[in-house]
Amino acid sequence: MPTLIAPSVLAADFANIQRDIEMLNKSNADWIHVDVMDGVFVPNISFGFPVIEAIKKYATKPLDVHLMIVQPEKYIEAFKKAGADILTVHYEACPHLHRTIQQIKAAGMKAGVALNPHTSVDLLDDIIADLDLVCIMSVNPGFGGQKFIENTYHKVTKLQLLIAKNNSKAVIEIDGGVTDVNAEKLCAAGASVLVAGSFVFNAPNPIQTIADLKTSTNQ
Ligand code: DX5
Ligand code: ZN
């Protein structure tokens, strides 16, 4: 599968969100990554439904919504209504993960599970066949602009084997500290969706940076 690029709007300029979404529409980005933080699951608060609706109003690409919240099962329909196409919940926030995944699919979205850096990919053995996406956190969730954790490569390799063993169609997404330094190595290990926040939005030319990431990981 070709590598997909999913810029994270957490690093966008919220006073110019229409401009930044239109920039992503014009770029080679495949998905728009949307980080929702509740101040409970993670030590930061980002934004909620009105902001997602505003993004959806302008976006011409799928919204890849990453929920860093407790009890995500309470809000599945609401995220669908706000415009989510892919909905990812955290393994660590879901005691009834199987049910939550079925609810996401029943609501008409692709279902993903995110793993914190300390959570082993082996814990997905009994759910991987049901997943459309696994998001490996390559930083501790809560903030953009953090340093990439090198153990991520090892997790990607292990997850790739688990996916093959279970005939799963899940794609591997990497979230946190992605740059041109690690992108190619991540894809060689088996990743196929790269989230990038600060690397894209802090670049002098974000459209060019997205294009370069896409080219370098699709050779
Ligand atoms: C972190 C978020 C990430 C973040 C990535 O909790 O889930 O999506 O926006 O930002 P960078 O690419 O700056 O690490
Ligand atoms: Zn994210």
Side-chain angles (χ1 to χ4, degrees):
M1 153 171 184
T3 304
L4 306 183
I5 308 298
S8 167
V9 290
L10 192 63
D13 177 356
F14 284 88
N16 287 290
I17 198 71
Q18 177 179 356
R19 181 200 66 192
D20 283 1
I21 298 301
E22 284 170 351
M23 179 278 288
L24 295 179
N25 289 344
K26 270 192 279 168
S27 77
N28 283 330
D30 297 279
W31 296 350
I32 297 177
H33 188 82
V34 177
D35 288 305
V36 179
M37 304 176 182
D38 67 354
V40 179
F41 181 69
V42 288
N44 194 11
I45 297 175
S46 58
F47 49 75
F49 300 115
V51 172
I52 300 175
E53 284 162 14
I55 293 169
K56 187 70 176 181
K57 192 165 145 192
Y58 299 110
T60 56
K61 300 182 177 180
L63 297 195
D64 171 34
V65 178
H66 174 195
L67 299 184
M68 287 160 273
I69 67 173
V70 297
Q71 300 187 313
E73 65 280 359
K74 285 188 180 172
Y75 307 103
I76 289 169
E77 279 299 335
F79 281 108
K80 169 71 183 171
K81 220 169 136 227
D85 296 285
I86 303 136
L87 196 64
T88 296
V89 295
H90 263 266
Y91 178 88
E92 303 82 7
C94 295
H96 303 288
L97 183 61
H98 183 273
R99 181 188 295 143
T100 305
I101 292 301
Q102 308 312 322
Q103 286 170 343
I104 294 172
K105 291 178 163 182
M109 294 173 284
K110 300 259 189 224
V113 170
L115 300 179
N116 277 343
H118 74 279
T119 304
S120 173
V121 299
D122 296 335
L123 293 166
L124 297 179
D125 196 21
D126 291 290
I127 190 80
I128 193 75
D130 294 308
L131 301 180
D132 297 303
L133 176 147
V134 177
C135 174
I136 297 186
M137 293 306 302
S138 38
V139 298
N140 285 292
F143 302 92
Q146 301 182 84
K147 189 174 173 286
F148 178 83
I149 296 172
E150 296 288 325
N151 185 52
T152 306
Y153 301 115
H154 174 61
K155 290 181 79 170
V156 176
T157 305
K158 274 210 297 181
L159 179 57
Q160 173 88 314
L161 291 172
L162 188 74
I163 287 171
K165 184 187 92 177
N166 288 280
N167 278 323
S168 167
K169 292 193 178 65
V171 297
I172 302 176
E173 176 178 74
I174 309 297
D175 188 4
V178 172
T179 67
D180 55 356
V181 170
N182 48 38
E184 286 169 59
K185 198 170 160 196
L186 286 166
C187 294
S192 50
V193 185
L194 300 178
V195 175
S198 40
F199 183 64
V200 164
F201 283 95
N202 295 347
N205 183 344
I207 290 198
Q208 188 60 47
T209 299
I210 294 166
D212 291 345
L213 261 186
K214 181 104 181 165
T215 314
S216 67
T217 54
N218 279 290
Q219 284 167 9

mmCIF file of all heavy atoms in Angstrom, residues 55-73:
data_model
loop_
_atom_site.group_PDB
_atom_site.id
_atom_site.type_symbol
_atom_site.label_atom_id
_atom_site.label_comp_id
_atom_site.label_asym_id
_atom_site.label_seq_id
_atom_site.Cartn_x
_atom_site.Cartn_y
_atom_site.Cartn_z
ATOM 1 N N ILE A 55 -13.674 22.417 10.658
ATOM 2 C CA ILE A 55 -12.667 21.785 9.783
ATOM 3 C C ILE A 55 -13.384 21.035 8.655
ATOM 4 O O ILE A 55 -13.017 21.135 7.484
ATOM 5 C CB ILE A 55 -11.760 20.831 10.605
ATOM 6 C CG1 ILE A 55 -10.904 21.648 11.590
ATOM 7 C CG2 ILE A 55 -10.902 19.961 9.698
ATOM 8 C CD1 ILE A 55 -10.166 20.807 12.637
ATOM 9 N N LYS A 56 -14.434 20.304 9.028
ATOM 10 C CA LYS A 56 -15.172 19.487 8.054
ATOM 11 C C LYS A 56 -15.803 20.349 6.955
ATOM 12 O O LYS A 56 -15.903 19.933 5.798
ATOM 13 C CB LYS A 56 -16.260 18.686 8.781
ATOM 14 C CG LYS A 56 -16.982 17.675 7.905
ATOM 15 C CD LYS A 56 -16.069 16.516 7.531
ATOM 16 C CE LYS A 56 -16.783 15.446 6.747
ATOM 17 N NZ LYS A 56 -15.860 14.313 6.430
ATOM 18 N N LYS A 57 -16.207 21.535 7.355
ATOM 19 C CA LYS A 57 -16.860 22.439 6.406
ATOM 20 C C LYS A 57 -15.953 22.733 5.201
ATOM 21 O O LYS A 57 -16.418 22.899 4.086
ATOM 22 C CB LYS A 57 -17.184 23.745 7.153
ATOM 23 C CG LYS A 57 -18.092 24.679 6.455
ATOM 24 C CD LYS A 57 -18.611 25.710 7.457
ATOM 25 C CE LYS A 57 -18.765 27.044 6.795
ATOM 26 N NZ LYS A 57 -18.976 28.112 7.783
ATOM 27 N N TYR A 58 -14.635 22.793 5.431
ATOM 28 C CA TYR A 58 -13.715 23.146 4.357
ATOM 29 C C TYR A 58 -12.927 21.957 3.800
ATOM 30 O O TYR A 58 -12.436 22.021 2.680
ATOM 31 C CB TYR A 58 -12.731 24.228 4.842
ATOM 32 C CG TYR A 58 -13.446 25.485 5.255
ATOM 33 C CD1 TYR A 58 -13.534 25.883 6.581
ATOM 34 C CD2 TYR A 58 -14.091 26.266 4.281
ATOM 35 C CE1 TYR A 58 -14.228 27.025 6.953
ATOM 36 C CE2 TYR A 58 -14.786 27.410 4.651
ATOM 37 C CZ TYR A 58 -14.860 27.781 5.978
ATOM 38 O OH TYR A 58 -15.546 28.904 6.332
ATOM 39 N N ALA A 59 -12.799 20.878 4.589
ATOM 40 C CA ALA A 59 -11.917 19.774 4.186
ATOM 41 C C ALA A 59 -12.500 18.986 3.019
ATOM 42 O O ALA A 59 -13.693 18.685 3.002
ATOM 43 C CB ALA A 59 -11.687 18.843 5.368
ATOM 44 N N THR A 60 -11.633 18.658 2.064
ATOM 45 C CA THR A 60 -12.049 17.785 0.961
ATOM 46 C C THR A 60 -11.413 16.405 1.113
ATOM 47 O O THR A 60 -11.495 15.579 0.219
ATOM 48 C CB THR A 60 -11.632 18.384 -0.398
ATOM 49 O OG1 THR A 60 -10.208 18.597 -0.371
ATOM 50 C CG2 THR A 60 -12.333 19.701 -0.665
ATOM 51 N N LYS A 61 -10.745 16.171 2.246
ATOM 52 C CA LYS A 61 -10.072 14.884 2.493
ATOM 53 C C LYS A 61 -10.620 14.271 3.774
ATOM 54 O O LYS A 61 -11.171 14.991 4.616
ATOM 55 C CB LYS A 61 -8.570 15.121 2.599
ATOM 56 C CG LYS A 61 -8.048 15.717 1.302
ATOM 57 C CD LYS A 61 -6.577 15.955 1.236
ATOM 58 C CE LYS A 61 -6.261 16.486 -0.167
ATOM 59 N NZ LYS A 61 -4.863 16.775 -0.382
ATOM 60 N N PRO A 62 -10.479 12.941 3.925
ATOM 61 C CA PRO A 62 -11.052 12.287 5.108
ATOM 62 C C PRO A 62 -10.491 12.837 6.419
ATOM 63 O O PRO A 62 -9.292 13.130 6.519
ATOM 64 C CB PRO A 62 -10.648 10.814 4.934
ATOM 65 C CG PRO A 62 -10.396 10.650 3.476
ATOM 66 C CD PRO A 62 -9.877 11.970 2.986
ATOM 67 N N LEU A 63 -11.354 12.966 7.421
ATOM 68 C CA LEU A 63 -10.917 13.378 8.761
ATOM 69 C C LEU A 63 -10.583 12.142 9.580
ATOM 70 O O LEU A 63 -11.432 11.278 9.823
ATOM 71 C CB LEU A 63 -11.985 14.194 9.480
ATOM 72 C CG LEU A 63 -12.393 15.540 8.884
ATOM 73 C CD1 LEU A 63 -13.180 16.352 9.908
ATOM 74 C CD2 LEU A 63 -11.206 16.338 8.367
ATOM 75 N N ASP A 64 -9.329 12.089 10.001
ATOM 76 C CA ASP A 64 -8.768 10.983 10.791
ATOM 77 C C ASP A 64 -8.734 11.476 12.243
ATOM 78 O O ASP A 64 -7.814 12.191 12.635
ATOM 79 C CB ASP A 64 -7.355 10.713 10.234
ATOM 80 C CG ASP A 64 -6.548 9.753 11.061
ATOM 81 O OD1 ASP A 64 -7.144 8.825 11.633
ATOM 82 O OD2 ASP A 64 -5.301 9.918 11.108
ATOM 83 N N VAL A 65 -9.771 11.120 13.000
ATOM 84 C CA VAL A 65 -9.945 11.720 14.326
ATOM 85 C C VAL A 65 -9.357 10.815 15.412
ATOM 86 O O VAL A 65 -9.756 9.650 15.548
ATOM 87 C CB VAL A 65 -11.438 12.023 14.593
ATOM 88 C CG1 VAL A 65 -11.627 12.601 15.991
ATOM 89 C CG2 VAL A 65 -11.981 12.991 13.532
ATOM 90 N N HIS A 66 -8.417 11.361 16.161
ATOM 91 C CA HIS A 66 -7.674 10.632 17.196
ATOM 92 C C HIS A 66 -8.178 11.100 18.550
ATOM 93 O O HIS A 66 -7.905 12.237 18.957
ATOM 94 C CB HIS A 66 -6.184 10.940 16.995
ATOM 95 C CG HIS A 66 -5.282 10.387 18.045
ATOM 96 N ND1 HIS A 66 -3.984 10.815 18.199
ATOM 97 C CD2 HIS A 66 -5.462 9.419 19.002
ATOM 98 C CE1 HIS A 66 -3.420 10.155 19.196
ATOM 99 N NE2 HIS A 66 -4.294 9.308 19.704
ATOM 100 N N LEU A 67 -8.903 10.218 19.246
ATOM 101 C CA LEU A 67 -9.499 10.586 20.532
ATOM 102 C C LEU A 67 -8.568 10.263 21.685
ATOM 103 O O LEU A 67 -8.335 9.089 21.991
ATOM 104 C CB LEU A 67 -10.825 9.844 20.729
ATOM 105 C CG LEU A 67 -11.917 10.120 19.704
ATOM 106 C CD1 LEU A 67 -13.197 9.379 20.091
ATOM 107 C CD2 LEU A 67 -12.169 11.616 19.560
ATOM 108 N N MET A 68 -8.059 11.297 22.334
ATOM 109 C CA MET A 68 -7.267 11.108 23.557
ATOM 110 C C MET A 68 -8.170 11.526 24.707
ATOM 111 O O MET A 68 -7.944 12.557 25.359
ATOM 112 C CB MET A 68 -5.988 11.954 23.475
ATOM 113 C CG MET A 68 -4.976 11.369 22.502
ATOM 114 S SD MET A 68 -3.762 12.584 21.940
ATOM 115 C CE MET A 68 -4.662 13.273 20.556
ATOM 116 N N ILE A 69 -9.232 10.730 24.895
ATOM 117 C CA ILE A 69 -10.251 11.056 25.900
ATOM 118 C C ILE A 69 -10.672 9.791 26.629
ATOM 119 O O ILE A 69 -10.565 8.691 26.077
ATOM 120 C CB ILE A 69 -11.512 11.719 25.256
ATOM 121 C CG1 ILE A 69 -12.275 10.736 24.343
ATOM 122 C CG2 ILE A 69 -11.113 12.942 24.438
ATOM 123 C CD1 ILE A 69 -13.602 11.286 23.820
ATOM 124 N N VAL A 70 -11.123 9.952 27.865
ATOM 125 C CA VAL A 70 -11.713 8.815 28.582
ATOM 126 C C VAL A 70 -13.143 8.598 28.083
ATOM 127 O O VAL A 70 -13.755 9.522 27.533
ATOM 128 C CB VAL A 70 -11.694 9.028 30.119
ATOM 129 C CG1 VAL A 70 -10.257 9.124 30.626
ATOM 130 C CG2 VAL A 70 -12.494 10.263 30.524
ATOM 131 N N GLN A 71 -13.632 7.420 28.230
ATOM 132 C CA GLN A 71 -15.007 7.040 27.847
ATOM 133 C C GLN A 71 -15.394 7.503 26.431
ATOM 134 O O GLN A 71 -16.454 8.119 26.233
ATOM 135 C CB GLN A 71 -16.005 7.588 28.869
ATOM 136 C CG GLN A 71 -15.721 7.038 30.270
ATOM 137 C CD GLN A 71 -16.796 7.432 31.273
ATOM 138 O OE1 GLN A 71 -17.209 8.598 31.351
ATOM 139 N NE2 GLN A 71 -17.261 6.459 32.034
ATOM 140 N N PRO A 72 -14.570 7.202 25.443
ATOM 141 C CA PRO A 72 -14.895 7.645 24.078
ATOM 142 C C PRO A 72 -16.208 7.047 23.568
ATOM 143 O O PRO A 72 -16.843 7.633 22.688
ATOM 144 C CB PRO A 72 -13.700 7.148 23.258
ATOM 145 C CG PRO A 72 -13.129 6.011 24.040
ATOM 146 C CD PRO A 72 -13.331 6.385 25.477
ATOM 147 N N GLU A 73 -16.604 5.909 24.136
ATOM 148 C CA GLU A 73 -17.832 5.240 23.655
ATOM 149 C C GLU A 73 -19.078 6.125 23.806
ATOM 150 O O GLU A 73 -20.061 5.932 23.113
ATOM 151 C CB GLU A 73 -18.028 3.881 24.362
ATOM 152 C CG GLU A 73 -18.294 3.916 25.858
ATOM 153 C CD GLU A 73 -17.034 4.094 26.716
ATOM 154 O OE1 GLU A 73 -15.912 4.172 26.176
ATOM 155 O OE2 GLU A 73 -17.192 4.176 27.957
#
